Amino acid sequence: MKTYDLLDPLTGESVAFYAEYLNKIIQEQISNSKQAQNSIDAQASDLHVFLEYVVNAQEIFYSRKITTNSTLLAEIILSYRDYLTLGVNSQKAIARETAAETQRKPISISSANRYLSSVNGFVSASATEHERLNKAKELGFIDIDVSSEDIHRNLLQRRKLSENERKRLLRESVLAQVVSGGGKYTRTRLFGISRKASSKNDYQHFPVSHIEDLLDKAPSYMDRALWALLLGAGLRTSEACQLLISDVDIVTEELHVFTYRDRVKCFEGLAFSDTLKLSFKGRETENAAFIEPFGEIFFEAITNYLKFERPKNLSHNYLFVTNSNNGRGRPLFAASRTTRNGKFKKIQELISCPTKHNGRRFTLHSLRHFYGYWLLNFHLTEKGERFSLLEVQRMMGHANVNSTKIYAVIDYELAREKMRLANLVLQNKSVQTNGNPFVNHKKDVLDVLLARTEE
């Protein structure tokens, strides 16, 4: 896996604990049979943004003589969420002035919470490490005091320090405080961002009403097969894009999902730069269970894709490849997320698909959300039995059932639908349908649930 280091631009030295922390996360992932490069990339990026903010904030604090009612460390850390979500519109001087200096644009609350979570883990772990070193010092095992680098002693020296020397000492002082004592601030509620629960925020699945149009308008057999696979088997996009041809049995219509680390052929024919983009978040089962008719659609489309679209004589065995002029035949997992979602978003415009609550188009991951949403709420057996949370957890490959709960429709949303149907019954009205089998099936399920409540 690829890891990172963060260097001070003036000295070229590594920022304390940064690379060590990322290496520990990688080792934990490997020990837990996970190897998600994108998770490491995100952590590295999040921490880079935070430490860049710390450095600029402390310099602005001193150069512009900003006043604060708390310590500089507390002010910098607790202003970070404003820096992310409000930027130059923040009422906090450090957040506002630093955003203007770095030209940082505000991000959404959900994105900001991910940044804060990354920072919290880093700062808490570094504070714990610092406590461990202090304990070892008290026991006489090591000496972590270096008098020549003591910030206060150097600042009190009689000789005049150059501007660069002064900035470096201040920078080292603030960063040292952040990694050694910032945990007490990041663990408080003041550091996080709370938001009220909302059905608009909680719903991330692709709209049921537009699934048929989406598949019918797929621009290629490959797109139709990929979209049907995500809808019908609930795979992660990374899992689907890393399937080998041998993972799909067209005759028996079965599909298996394996980690690339256990198979040498996953590396055969790949450029070294592409091997670094392989990732496996972890999956509890290798078998993929299809919702029909998506399974039928997938196997039909994949047969045509292999026959008519996939380039011949490629050096690798990956199922899905890019068909663009640039990089034709390259494994789809190696393409950027923007490239993979590009055609998917264009088709949404073509079929007049509604957008998410924030006005943005759905990404491919919304198709996996549909799988969990449908199984937990509307997929019934012949006897009218629903799937349990634990059953859906296994089919989605989640290690923790809490991950599966995200895909469950919020109870009040389901209750609202039941209330709407009940009102129609009271008004002696019938529910109009449009011939869409998913919409009709959803109505039938809700009718069953309504009948049970009447009993």
Side-chain angles (χ1 to χ4, degrees), residues 185-378:
Y185 299 109
T186 59
R187 283 193 287 262
T188 65
R189 294 180 63 183
L190 295 174
F191 188 65
I193 307 175
S194 61
R195 59 182 182 186
K196 295 181 180 179
S198 166
S199 60
K200 291 183 178 180
N201 289 335
D202 293 329
Y203 273 77
Q204 298 295 331
H205 59 81
F206 192 84
V208 176
S209 57
H210 287 70
I211 287 176
E212 280 191 297
D213 286 344
L214 173 76
L215 294 176
D216 288 343
K217 295 296 191 297
S220 68
Y221 288 123
M222 187 194 79
D223 292 311
R224 182 173 169 86
L226 177 61
W227 299 349
L229 175 60
L230 299 178
L231 283 164
L235 269 63
R236 299 180 178 94
T237 306
S238 60
E239 292 170 343
C241 291
Q242 290 175 186
L243 289 173
L244 299 180
I245 295 177
S246 56
D247 297 333
V248 182
D249 191 329
I250 296 177
V251 177
T252 62
E253 294 193 347
E254 293 181 346
L255 183 145
H256 299 281
V257 184
F258 302 102
T259 169
Y260 70 89
R261 291 180 290 115
D262 299 332
R263 301 190 291 176
V264 174
K265 56 185 177 182
C266 286
F267 299 94
E268 293 175 351
L270 290 185
F272 178 72
S273 57
D274 287 345
T275 65
L276 298 175
K277 297 181 179 181
L278 287 165
S279 65
F280 192 74
K281 196 170 183 178
R283 187 176 178 87
E284 291 300 293
T285 177
E286 296 174 348
N287 299 317
F290 275 95
I291 296 174
E292 292 298 346
F294 298 116
E296 180 182 346
I297 293 172
F298 166 75
F299 285 106
E300 180 183 356
I302 208 66
T303 301
N304 289 322
Y305 162 67
L306 292 172
K307 186 176 181 180
F308 300 113
E309 289 181 357
R310 189 179 186 276
K312 309 299 181 183
N313 302 318
L314 295 178
S315 60
H316 60 80
N317 192 38
Y318 283 91
L319 179 62
F320 295 113
V321 300
T322 58
N323 285 319
S324 60
N325 293 329
N326 295 328
R328 178 175 170 81
R330 188 183 181 194
L332 190 59
F333 76 81
S336 68
R337 188 174 300 178
T338 301
T339 299
R340 292 196 295 265
N341 282 292
K343 286 186 285 187
F344 181 61
K345 292 184 177 182
K346 286 183 179 179
I347 297 302
Q348 292 177 55
E349 296 179 11
L350 180 65
I351 63 176
S352 301
C353 179
T355 60
K356 293 192 292 185
H357 68 278
N358 56 10
R360 296 179 181 178
R361 291 292 175 188
F362 288 92
T363 64
L364 288 173
H365 192 63
S366 67
L367 304 182
R368 173 171 163 84
H369 271 271
F370 164 82
Y371 182 81
Y373 159 78
W374 191 262
L375 283 184
L376 283 168
N377 299 284
F378 301 107

Side-chain angles (χ1 to χ4, degrees), residues 6-69:
L6 188 64
L7 306 181
D8 186 310
L10 296 179
T11 66
E13 297 175 355
S14 298
V15 173
F17 201 66
Y18 179 87
E20 182 181 351
Y21 177 70
L22 291 176
N23 287 333
K24 286 182 179 179
I25 295 179
I26 290 176
Q27 293 303 318
E28 290 173 359
Q29 284 194 350
I30 293 174
S31 64
N32 293 326
S33 298
K34 297 180 181 180
Q35 207 157 328
Q37 182 63 55
N38 55 346
S39 296
I40 300 301
D41 296 342
Q43 287 269 355
S45 175
D46 294 349
L47 297 180
H48 170 262
V49 171
F50 173 67
L51 294 174
E52 181 181 54
Y53 159 77
V54 170
V55 169
N56 282 280
Q58 63 92 19
E59 290 185 359
I60 287 173
F61 177 84
Y62 285 110
S63 63
R64 303 183 187 178
K65 299 180 180 179
I66 295 176
T67 59
T68 175
N69 295 324

Side-chain angles (χ1 to χ4, degrees), residues 161-173:
L161 299 177
S162 68
E163 186 65 21
N164 283 339
E165 285 178 316
R166 187 174 184 277
K167 283 185 176 181
R168 179 180 177 183
L169 289 171
L170 291 172
R171 181 183 297 113
E172 289 177 349
S173 172

